[in-house]
Amino acid sequence: MGQYIARRLLQAVLVVFGVVTAVFFLLQLTGDPVRLMVGDGASEADIENIRHQLGLDRPLPERYVTFLSDAARGDFGQSVRQSGRPAMQIVLDRYPATLRLAFLALSLSVVTATICGVISAVKRYSVLDNVVTLLALFGQSMPNFWLGIMLILVFAVQLGWLPSQGYGEGSPKYLLLPTLTLAAPGLARLTRLVRSGMLDILGQDYVRTARAKGLHESGVIFGHALKNAAIPLVTIIGLDLGALLGGAVVTEQIFAWPGVGLEVVLAINGRDFPVVQAAVFVVATSFVLINLVVDVLYTWLDPRVRLT
Amino acid sequence: MVQTIRVTRRQLLEQISLVAGAALLAACGPSSVSAPAGPAPTQPPAQPASAAKPSKPAAGTRPDELVLTWGTYQLQTHQLDPQTHVGTIAESQLRHIFEPLVQIDRDLQTVKPQLATEWQRLDDLTLQFKLRQGVKFHNGEDFDGDAARFSILRPLDPANKADARTTYAGISAVDVLDKYTINVKTAKPDPALLLRMTGFSMTMVAPRWAASSPDVFTKEAYGTGPYKLASWSDPLQDWTLAANDQYWGGAPKIKKVRIKTIPELATRTAALRSGEVHVAKDVAVEEVDAINKSGRALGKTTPSNRIPYYVMEVRKPPCNNKQLRQAINYAANLDGIIQSVLYGNATRVATTVAPWHVGFHTDLKPYPYDPDKAKVLMKEAGFPNGFDLNINYIQGRYLKDKEVAEAMAQELNKVGIRAKPVLRDAALNTQEDLDQHQDGLIFASWGNWIFDADNQLFVRWHTSARDTANGGKGQSSLSYSNPEFDKLVEQARVELDPNKRLDLYKKAQEILYDDAAALFMWTLTDIYGVDNWVLWEPRKDEMVWAHEMAWNE
């Protein structure tokens, strides 16, 4: 087990290194940060001066080597746009808001998906099942930004129940619409997964045995079937959480949510290379680590699985 | 060991089932707490008590705080430092707190006293200001000659990294004569000096505070303005202002103000319609009808100080031919495009100078739509069968920029100009511009922040702009050069007699117009959404100031 984890950690480092390198070179292709930064009013001398300060006048390979050695020490340089604040600090300051949204969306989708999936499987082909399946299909195929705007129009503009956007200094009512928007696709996917997993297991011999020995139906469903159906979900939840952390970009933009996604969009538009790199590093690292944890958990939850 | 793990594993799985089961029961029960029933939330969640809100504010009580909204986060770059920013949104927000010595009025022509009560030109190089007495900064520091001197010189110091430093670089010294009299000196005569002093960088900051440490501007803001900073955490979150009841001009009518940024246009418009924000800059042009019909807010428009135009690359074919350049101006049918694409939200200008700028040529009329004349010009130039033309445009920055470029291409094609719209990502556009890879029409836009023709005609069209651009290497969008034009704008730059100066600028605009150095377009129209609770008319200079508003009660 220890050896396995060590190997996976090494792989994780390689993956993050690859991602960070790819982003470094891609960013170089996308234009000049200094021009965008200074606006129309600056003179050429000012521009050259800033370019020199940022080291953008040095050759690319040299910049890459410097970048790597700094990054290895956790130093992603200073923000180009934000008066030289450390890029990593800017990203980490935004991380809690994103984490809040991501974990809440994940909890919402896991709980709701389990409920809906179980109902659907137990009452197979009933009206309820059809409704759930239809909604799941809808949820999975709906673009996120459209759903977000529709939710705003219904709950904020028409009904006036919830704020349309904003962070509201952390007040819970501001969380609801962004959470729903962010959770929808994963929720739909999980529901379908729970449903098919349950259907699979409800046809197994040990379920028939459990029923034969006179167990109450709820005991059969929750005690035996769901427990086993839950195992593959862990993998999907891990992937989902990674995607939620990195993929909140659209949701954060729509709801003006001050998280990593919003920060990174602004950084990309302003060609703030250091901030983009730090954000990609943080998200990639989280993704890799979460999936490592999930894999380890998996062997624990299902002893039949062996890591080699 | 294995045994214990297995037990815990089972326990964990059991607990998952239990939680799920409990949730299921709760969801089925009559008093469901939350959670939509399905993956697509078609069922409304229960209403949290704290979110209760009167649905018709017009009949209810007036809002407790005024919420002003923009679509762009501009404070990320320099946070609360007013003197180093250049953007109009940052200016609009921070000038609730900070004021300059003099201010431009709503007509964008009259200069009004602000922290200076009077001023006079002593000689070609000196402008004297009498300062307002008895004014204190929000932190208790006195506003006086020393504070004014500190504030004027601060953005000139390259160490402070003021984005618009070059606009003010002509100021050579500030002499403090007595506690409330200062002389501002320039190295060369500068007819636009008074207008420069209205600029955002020339706002007054509390000197001891501003000099105390480099990061004070990330936490606090101390000016003399009608509002004080009430709360601030970071540039991506809402922040608030409170009325300065000791304000020298009288306390503002609205006591609490919230500054909010909503980047998504649809969300911004929705927030206005739901009454969460009261003044929103830039709402969706298609939504103005819906806003007006909502009975909650109105869409209000004003001509804007921002002028977009397409520069012509006059060194490369086809735009190296003056007749072809004129033909493009005659054939683009910009009046038609204003109606059909912009829903009337733009006003034509003959060149790149707006009617309210010092030096504007009143009698010069914009190129009319005249396809026949365009065809004649093309024939004379030797291109009776048309020519190829690239329209290098950017998308998403200004009202319908992409649609305008596409409509222009269509119109030009009608007279045989084979125009092709080429989308340029904003940053990439800059790079290709610097590498001089572009030809044809190149998008540009200018918001002249000192409202004087010099800060457009000289800095964009004088030959020195071409020759110093990009460190002397040149760039596609600065290609114009005309010695006759150069002479006029050079003279105007140091001419202190307003009438003579206007004549010089008139002649300069005639040359630029006749040379058709650009496809001259329009001043944009700004569209604001204003809640019915708020009394306010928008300004042309994009400033949205709570101290110019009042509650409608």
Side-chain angles (χ1 to χ4, degrees), chain B residues 4 124 173 179 183 204 217 261 284 359 413 436 478 497 509 546:
Chain B
T4 39
D124 285 3
K179 196 164 184 214
N183 285 350
M204 300 291 125
F217 296 103
T261 306
N413 272 293
Q436 305 197 58
L478 289 173
D497 179 333
Q509 283 165 76

Side-chain angles (χ1 to χ4, degrees), chain B residues 14-67:
Chain B
E14 255 153 34
Q15 259 160 19
I16 292 181
S17 315
L18 271 178
V19 168
L24 179 58
L25 282 174
C28 295
S31 59
S32 80
V33 238
S34 67
T42 47
Q43 223 174 282
Q47 177 180 358
S50 57
K53 227 180 182 188
S55 59
K56 285 191 184 110
T61 48
R62 74 154 167 79
D64 181 45
E65 81 183 346
L66 172 75
V67 186

Side-chain angles (χ1 to χ4, degrees), chain B residues 223-421:
Chain B
T224 57
Y227 286 92
K228 299 179 186 183
L229 184 68
S231 71
W232 164 266
S233 55
D234 69 69
L236 296 196
Q237 292 198 44
D238 292 2
W239 51 287
T240 59
L241 297 161
N244 171 13
D245 289 325
Q246 274 85 49
Y247 185 57
W248 59 264
K253 296 190 187 93
I254 293 177
K255 299 301 173 193
K256 284 159 90 179
V257 179
R258 175 173 293 266
I259 306 281
K260 193 188 247 311
T261 306
I262 307 177
E264 186 65 35
L265 184 63
T267 317
R268 193 157 64 243
T269 311
L272 180 79
R273 286 175 59 192
S274 70
E276 288 165 84
V277 308
H278 306 115
V279 177
K281 177 152 193 292
D282 304 330
V283 293
V285 61
E286 300 87 346
E287 292 263 358
V288 171
D289 260 0
I291 292 171
N292 290 342
K293 281 182 195 144
S294 72
R296 190 160 217 165
L298 287 177
K300 294 191 179 185
T301 58
T302 177
S304 159
N305 194 40
R306 180 148 304 272
I307 300 182
Y309 54 97
Y310 277 90
V311 181
M312 303 208 192
E313 166 54 285
V314 298
R315 294 169 297 191
K316 291 184 188 170
C319 291
N320 55 354
N321 184 317
K322 179 167 153 180
Q323 281 161 314
L324 295 186
R325 295 199 298 268
Q326 289 175 336
I328 294 168
N329 270 287
Y330 280 118
N333 191 10
L334 296 178
D335 293 303
I337 290 174
I338 289 178
Q339 288 317 314
S340 60
V341 180
L342 299 180
Y343 299 77
N345 289 302
T347 311
R348 291 292 306 277
V349 280
T351 64
T352 53
V353 182
W356 46 85
H357 292 164
V358 173
F360 174 70
H361 192 329
T362 338
D363 305 322
L364 199 59
K365 296 289 168 243
Y367 276 95
Y369 176 51
D370 192 341
D372 296 330
K373 183 134 189 197
K375 282 182 197 155
V376 171
L377 284 164
M378 282 158 63
K379 200 181 251 172
E380 282 173 15
F383 291 88
N385 300 319
F387 55 93
D388 294 308
L389 177 74
N390 285 325
I391 303 179
N392 299 287
Y393 72 98
I394 61 169
Q395 185 183 358
R397 192 140 160 210
Y398 301 108
L399 182 64
K400 305 261 168 206
D401 37 19
K402 168 174 171 274
E403 289 82 352
V404 166
E406 284 166 352
M408 270 170 23
Q410 250 173 18
E411 293 293 336
L412 293 173
N413 272 293
K414 286 184 191 163
V415 299
I417 301 173
R418 292 179 295 278
K420 195 174 88 185

Side-chain angles (χ1 to χ4, degrees), chain A residues 141-223:
Chain A
S141 36
M142 210 162 17
N144 230 349
F145 64 89
W146 186 83
L147 175 65
I149 288 168
M150 287 304 125
L151 287 176
I152 291 173
L153 287 180
V154 173
F155 292 108
V157 177
Q158 296 301 327
L159 300 171
W161 290 353
L162 292 169
S164 60
Q165 38 58 49
Y167 191 61
E169 282 96 36
S171 150
K173 66 180 175 183
Y174 286 84
L175 265 165
L176 273 171
L177 295 185
T179 304
L180 276 178
T181 309
L182 192 59
L187 170 55
R189 191 170 50 234
L190 270 182
T191 305
R192 292 162 60 117
L193 213 77
V194 172
R195 181 178 179 273
S196 61
M198 283 294 286
L199 283 178
D200 207 24
I201 283 164
L202 285 176
Q204 298 275 336
D205 287 345
Y206 66 84
V207 172
R208 198 169 346 133
T209 312
R211 280 183 181 141
K213 74 181 180 187
L215 263 187
H216 192 265
E217 186 64 16
S218 66
V220 175
I221 290 167
F222 295 111

Side-chain angles (χ1 to χ4, degrees), chain B residues 499-535:
Chain B
N499 290 325
K500 283 191 200 152
R501 194 160 179 257
L502 180 59
D503 281 341
L504 292 168
Y505 278 135
K506 276 185 171 174
K507 284 188 199 129
Q509 283 165 76
E510 282 162 15
I511 292 174
L512 197 64
Y513 179 89
D514 184 59
D515 272 345
L519 171 57
F520 299 114
M521 297 170 78
W522 46 60
T523 60
L524 282 174
T525 297
D526 286 332
I527 308 173
Y528 295 85
V530 183
D531 192 279
N532 291 344
W533 272 112
V534 179
L535 295 172

Side-chain angles (χ1 to χ4, degrees), chain B residues 430-458:
Chain B
T430 312
Q431 197 58 49
E432 300 199 329
D433 185 16
L434 293 175
D435 296 342
Q436 305 197 58
H437 284 163
Q438 296 178 332
D439 58 28
L441 305 185
I442 303 163
F443 183 81
S445 107
W446 196 259
N448 187 341
W449 63 94
I450 66 166
F451 317 107
D452 187 289
D454 176 63
N455 186 28
Q456 193 350 271
L457 297 182
F458 188 91

